[in-house]
Amino acid sequence: MSSNQKKRNFQIEAFKHKVVVDPKYADKTWKMLEHAIHEIYNHNASGLSFEELYRNAYNMVLHKFGEKLYSGLVFTITFHLQRISKSIESAQGDLFLEELNRQWADHNKALQMIRDILMYMDRTFIPSTHKTPVHELGLNLWRDNIVRSSNIQMRLLSTLLELILKERDGEVINRGLMRNIIKMFMDLGPSVYQEDFEKPFLEISADFYRAESQKFIECCDCGDYLKKAEKRLTEEIERVSHYLDPKTEAKITNVVEKEMIENHMPRLVHMENSGLVNMLLDDKYEDLRRMYNLFHRVTNGLATIRDVMTSHIREIGKQLVTDPEKLKDPVEFVQCLLNEKDKYDNVIILAFNNDKTFQNALNSSFEFFINLNPRSPEFISLFVDEKLRKGLKGVSEEDVEVILDKVMMLFRYLQEKDVFEKYYKQHLAKRLLSGKTVSDDAERSLIVKLKTECGYQFTSKLEGMFTDMKTSQDTMQGFHTAYGTELGDGPSLVVQVLTTGSWPTQPGVTCNLPAELSALCEKFRSYYLGTHTGRRLSWQTNMGTADLKATFGKGQKHELNVSTYQMCVLMLFNNADRLMYKEIEQATEIPSSDLKRCLQSLACVKGKNVLRKEPMSKDIGEDDAFFVNDKFTSKFYKVKIGTVVAQKESEPEKQETRQRVEEDRKPQIEAAIVRIMKSRKVLDHNNIIAEVTKQLQSRFLANPGEIKKRIESLIERDFLERDNADRRLYRYLA
């Protein structure tokens, strides 16, 4: 045999020698490992050689004794856990959880050491046989032998829940211990935490908060109840952060929200003397903010607050716009509206997180009740008039803009914006013609805002009024240049030439001016018509003013600022000491209603009574007699005598304005119909009504009956025709 053959034989013999295993090897090796596991659980691991133990476990797996090693491990750990279970069961009172926690910590340490020893089995044998890894096996055995032990499971749960109950009642508990025990559940797997702790925790919490909420709601007002609910919610969130699974937060907060908020929402918002309405009335921003934040967390919570708030605002708004006392003073009426709007704007900003849905509800409510009062457009215009005549004196530019913005906000709520335009034009005319506007800048600023809101058409005539005022100044300069030498020392004349259509003039108003003024007016007419061809002038004496120098008894002199009508009346007393009402009416030809107001302001207003009347009374009768009041005195040289006017329109005036508005609407409705039909060619009746209403809603709310009349009028004038087959269908005729 060659040397090479010898070498091959030697190698084969050596290989055979290595795989031969002593039959008692597996038992002997396991005994060593079993002893080591016992020592680890008995806290005597310091004398063990982990390198040797690892090698022994490695060899058992290598020599195909993995099954014996695994089953022995299960048996040995189970043995120790049964012993540990008895130790935990025997612990009394507070020591129960402490013992469980201590043994759990020891078990985890033991598992770590055992896993290190059996690492090779974990990496090779267990994956190939689909068995549970060592560490997970140890947790499962702890779960089955300790946590779910018949003598421990319910005791452990009740102990934990009792501690949580104590903490809810204000007692201090060992949160560190609780955290360790709860973490044990979590380490054992999500299903263990959920089934053995979280589910019963949530159930008992629901019972607790159901009972507590019932107790609170019987004895607390709404504000206090919400404070308690908020406190409980905060406590539960804090509890989760200290010792529960973070995923439990959403579940436990849902429980608190459902039992303490959702189930009691109607009762809370309607609670007598302390519910939502009382909070709104008393500006309880903190309570309102708390209610918003809590109700925000539950389904339909904010809708509940919003609905109650909307009903409340509509109710108080309805009372405000129908209150006879408030209607006596239009300026106070509008100021009350603005105060209410400011109040609820603050509530929404400070308490309701500036929630847009609440702002929309507020706007909707104001639009609802402002339009319940048909005089709202007139009153808002009167409010503007009062502010721009005197109410904004000394007010900074920024504050003026704030007030104008508030007026625009109310204007947006109006459905009949064209009615506001009518009144606003009348009031603006009086301000411009009397020179009583506080600020031209403020006037123009409001017109710009109206233009932005409603378009050029809405403000074109208003802008024309300002143009006329400027043109009139130039005209008067030309007149004085042409006739300056002829005018002499007589009365001076200032004329404002108003373009028909831009101004709210009253055609056909007559008044007999004093002779010296009539001659002057004729000179102006001659000058104006001489410089402007194709024009016609008509005097609007009802819109003018005059300054008179007057001398009373004892030679007391004053300069009186009066209306043109008042001037005509006073000038009569240059030639008479006593005049009857009928004589004044006949001499001046002033309309009866205007004359009575004029005489009332001259004879019945204390401190301005330059005339006196018999008999003395507040009202003017047709049999009254009038005299110059020789005893009239005033500490001022210049005395302004205003005309006693109803700040609001009288019923006939109101009817007349309404009639003019209705007449103005007709061409606008017709124009909208033609625009729509020109675009669509064919359209049914209902769609025309809907589209016309939509197109015109920025100016007014078109009446369907009036739209129908305008359609009929357009059919008669051959703009539209009815379809022969379907009478509700209209066709546009080009």
Side-chain angles (χ1 to χ4, degrees), residues 110-383:
L111 273 184
Q112 186 60 48
M113 287 187 265
I114 293 168
R115 185 171 65 173
D116 288 346
I117 293 169
L118 304 179
M119 191 180 297
Y120 185 71
M121 180 178 76
D122 241 358
R123 288 178 179 173
T124 56
F125 173 76
I126 286 175
S128 65
T129 55
H130 307 294
K131 292 187 180 295
T132 306
V134 173
H135 186 263
E136 190 181 338
L137 172 68
L139 296 180
N140 292 347
L141 292 172
W142 178 270
R143 176 195 65 200
D144 298 338
N145 290 278
I146 307 293
V147 173
R148 290 183 175 169
S149 159
S150 57
N151 295 328
I152 291 176
Q153 188 173 19
M154 291 313 298
R155 183 182 172 190
L156 174 57
L157 178 61
S158 61
T159 302
L160 294 173
L161 296 178
E162 279 173 23
L163 285 171
I164 291 171
L165 186 59
K166 284 181 180 180
E167 191 174 45
R168 284 177 179 155
D169 289 338
E171 293 185 36
V172 177
I173 65 168
N174 186 342
R175 283 180 166 177
L177 181 59
M178 284 289 285
R179 182 166 54 251
N180 291 342
I181 300 299
I182 298 299
K183 189 174 183 307
M184 174 191 77
F185 280 113
M186 291 159 62
D187 290 346
L188 294 175
S191 62
V192 178
Y193 173 79
Q194 290 164 9
E195 294 298 322
D196 291 51
F197 172 75
E198 187 183 63
K199 189 176 176 182
F201 164 69
L202 295 174
E203 288 171 358
I204 204 163
S205 295
D207 294 340
F208 173 83
Y209 285 116
R210 192 176 303 121
E212 184 172 81
S213 65
Q214 200 58 48
K215 183 179 79 172
F216 285 164
I217 209 157
E218 297 298 338
C219 66
C220 298
D221 66 22
C222 184
D224 288 340
Y225 181 93
L226 293 174
K227 284 178 187 173
K228 292 180 184 295
E230 184 182 57
K231 182 170 177 283
R232 285 304 197 189
L233 203 53
T234 304
E235 286 174 359
E236 292 301 335
I237 293 170
E238 189 183 333
R239 182 170 294 112
V240 171
S241 70
H242 281 294
Y243 54 79
L244 300 181
D245 185 348
K247 293 175 184 173
T248 304
E249 182 177 319
K251 299 175 186 176
I252 186 60
T253 52
N254 282 344
V255 168
V256 180
E257 290 157 6
K258 183 175 186 298
E259 299 300 337
M260 296 202 80
I261 304 298
E262 190 172 354
N263 291 348
H264 300 288
M265 282 195 298
R267 185 165 178 184
L268 285 169
V269 294
H270 295 295
M271 194 172 278
E272 193 176 354
N273 300 324
S274 67
L276 177 59
V277 170
N278 289 86
M279 291 179 183
L280 291 170
L281 290 172
D282 298 335
D283 295 331
K284 292 190 172 180
Y285 297 129
E286 190 178 337
D287 287 343
L288 288 166
R289 190 183 306 114
R290 186 174 290 113
M291 178 179 278
Y292 176 88
N293 290 336
L294 290 172
F295 279 46
H296 188 276
R297 305 176 73 98
V298 300
T299 306
N300 294 325
L302 293 187
T304 302
I305 298 177
R306 198 164 50 243
D307 291 347
V308 173
M309 183 192 82
T310 301
S311 299
H312 167 66
I313 294 173
R314 290 191 176 205
E315 186 57 37
I316 60 168
K318 189 176 177 181
Q319 290 171 13
L320 193 156
V321 300
T322 55
D323 183 352
E325 289 301 311
K326 292 280 192 298
L327 297 180
K328 290 178 182 177
D329 185 349
V331 175
E332 180 60 27
F333 171 87
V334 175
Q335 190 58 56
C336 287
L337 290 178
L338 292 176
N339 292 344
E340 287 300 313
K341 184 64 167 59
D342 285 345
K343 175 188 175 75
Y344 290 100
D345 276 340
N346 283 335
V347 167
I348 291 170
I349 291 167
L350 299 174
F352 295 159
N353 198 33
N354 207 12
D355 191 315
K356 294 303 175 193
T357 61
F358 280 76
Q359 193 65 58
N360 292 341
L362 177 61
N363 291 335
S364 168
S365 301
F366 265 75
E367 184 176 345
F368 164 76
F369 65 71
I370 279 179
N371 290 293
L372 290 177
N373 184 349
R375 306 199 72 173
S376 289
E378 177 192 355
F379 286 4
I380 293 171
S381 181
L382 284 166
F383 177 83

Side-chain angles (χ1 to χ4, degrees), residues 66-132:
E67 186 62 46
K68 181 178 181 67
L69 180 59
Y70 191 85
S71 59
L73 174 67
V74 172
F75 179 83
T76 307
I77 292 177
T78 302
F79 169 79
H80 279 284
L81 291 180
Q82 288 171 349
R83 176 180 60 79
I84 290 168
S85 174
K86 289 183 172 52
S87 170
I88 294 169
E89 289 169 22
S90 64
Q92 300 300 312
D94 295 342
L95 297 176
F96 172 68
L97 286 186
E98 290 181 8
E99 178 65 14
L100 175 63
N101 183 46
R102 187 180 67 80
Q103 294 288 4
W104 166 246
D106 289 347
H107 177 64
N108 272 308
K109 287 178 188 174
L111 273 184
Q112 186 60 48
M113 287 187 265
I114 293 168
R115 185 171 65 173
D116 288 346
I117 293 169
L118 304 179
M119 191 180 297
Y120 185 71
M121 180 178 76
D122 241 358
R123 288 178 179 173
T124 56
F125 173 76
I126 286 175
S128 65
T129 55
H130 307 294
K131 292 187 180 295
T132 306

